Amino acid sequence: MSKRIGKCTNYSGCKLAYRNEQINVVTKEFRCPECGSPLEPVGQKKDSSLTTVLILSVAVVLLLAIGAIVWTLMRRPTPPKTIVSISVTPSPTPTPTPTPTPTPTPTPTPTPTEAPTPTPSITPTTTPEPPITDDDFQKAMNAIMKRIELQPTLSPAEKARIREKVQSAKKMAKIAVIHFNTSESSVSSQDEASIVSQFDQPQVKKLLDDPRIQLVILGYADLQGDDPKNLALSNERAQKVLQILVTKCHVLNTMYAVPMGGTDLFGSHDFARNRTVEVWAGQP
């Protein structure tokens, strides 16, 4: 039986799939020897060279055609002279055209009087900042309680004290979410601008004008890698966002950076959603 080459796609439970290794199979069943999952055949790139030659030949033909068109256009400088001579002849004919000028004068005069432009000035009064409802507040409190239980470094007594403070809080809301690349804690200039724009929203600025509001910055990592590295990486991400809030957003409220370590809180099959930082605001 001929040898076949494949890759395992069971990334969550197979080391061969996680390392993206190619597997040689000579048996009848085309399955992974590590986890038993069906293998995905690895296609052989036989036609790539032919496709490349065809693409290059078409590109050369197109370039030659474009060059020929440009060359022919450059060879004929005379037509602009005839266009100039034609444009001169109709110049005496537009002399009767100024006669209809008095007709538009009466029409625009009534139009500005009838258009009540001050109507848009009423719109700002109809868009006040909606307050946080009791339902939203309860959802935020339940989410915080869940995150307290998932925090890996707090003792049971510390978690109990934090739960008491959360239950007595007067305000609580999530105001920003920042995502990160795999194994990275740096923030690109584009993401930094996004953070600044989120904190430049009127409702967020109004909330942070209250000095009693405190910010909790929760850093997360996905479950790839070991626990100590994930905890350190989540702390670096939280600290990086805290630094941006101080230096770029000029936030003066009390802030706490809390590492949450590796988690699948935001999706057990989506690593990217778990590489994130949340910014929560609350009034104790």
Side-chain angles (χ1 to χ4, degrees):
M1 181 175 295
S2 61
K3 180 174 68 174
R4 293 178 291 174
I5 302 175
K7 288 184 178 181
C8 182
T9 58
N10 183 16
Y11 297 102
S12 60
C14 180
K15 294 181 178 178
L16 295 178
Y18 180 75
R19 293 195 294 260
N20 198 24
E21 292 187 2
Q22 294 187 359
I23 303 170
N24 297 323
V25 179
V26 296
T27 60
K28 182 178 181 181
E29 293 189 357
F30 198 51
R31 293 182 175 274
C32 177
E34 178 74 16
C35 64
S37 300
L39 296 177
E40 178 180 339
V42 176
Q44 299 181 358
K45 303 178 181 178
K46 294 181 178 180
D47 299 332
S48 60
S49 60
L50 179 59
T51 304
T52 304
V53 172
L54 290 176
I55 292 173
L56 290 175
S57 61
V58 171
V60 171
V61 171
L62 289 176
L63 289 174
L64 291 175
I66 294 172
I69 293 172
V70 173
W71 182 76
T72 54
L73 291 176
M74 295 291 290
R75 292 270 297 176
R76 295 184 297 174
T78 54
K81 294 181 180 180
T82 59
I83 293 173
V84 173
S85 63
I86 293 171
S87 61
V88 176
T89 54
S91 56
T93 56
T95 52
T97 54
T99 54
T101 52
T103 55
T105 53
T107 54
T109 50
T111 51
T113 57
E114 296 177 2
T117 54
T119 52
S121 62
I122 304 174
T123 53
T125 59
T126 61
T127 57
E129 305 283 335
I132 299 174
T133 63
D134 293 339
D135 187 35
D136 294 335
F137 180 77
Q138 187 61 43
K139 288 180 180 179
M141 181 176 291
N142 293 338
I144 286 293
M145 291 295 186
K146 186 175 182 180
R147 284 154 175 77
I148 292 172
E149 294 301 323
L150 293 176
Q151 213 287 330
T153 61
L154 294 175
S155 65
E158 291 172 329
K159 290 182 179 180
R161 286 196 298 270
I162 295 175
R163 281 194 295 267
E164 291 178 1
K165 292 183 179 180
V166 171
Q167 290 173 349
S168 62
K170 299 177 179 62
K171 292 181 182 178
M172 189 174 301
K174 182 167 61 176
I175 59 177
V177 176
I178 304 97
H179 297 285
F180 289 81
N181 294 325
T182 305
S183 303
E184 289 186 8
S185 59
S186 60
V187 178
S188 65
S189 58
Q190 182 178 0
D191 292 334
E192 185 176 293
S194 176
I195 296 172
V196 174
S197 65
Q198 290 183 67
F199 276 80
D200 200 35
Q201 296 297 322
Q203 61 270 25
V204 176
K205 295 177 70 174
K206 182 178 179 181
L207 180 67
L208 298 181
D209 284 341
D210 187 349
R212 297 171 297 176
I213 295 295
Q214 299 180 1
L215 299 184
V216 179
I217 305 165
L218 303 179
Y220 301 88
D222 57 39
L223 292 178
Q224 300 180 94
D226 54 19
D227 292 341
K229 290 183 179 179
N230 286 337
L231 184 63
L233 181 59
S234 66
N235 182 58
E236 292 174 3
R237 289 170 175 170
Q239 293 289 347
K240 183 63 177 179
V241 173
L242 187 148
Q243 181 183 359
I244 292 174
L245 296 184
V246 173
T247 59
K248 301 298 182 180
C249 302
H250 309 292
V251 176
L252 301 177
N253 304 71
T254 302
M255 292 184 286
Y256 302 94
V258 180
M260 298 295 290
T263 184
D264 58 356
L265 176 65
F266 307 105
S268 57
H269 300 291
D270 192 348
F271 291 141
R273 292 180 58 190
N274 293 289
R275 298 190 293 267
T276 187
V277 165
E278 294 179 313
V279 181
W280 289 81
Q283 177 185 336

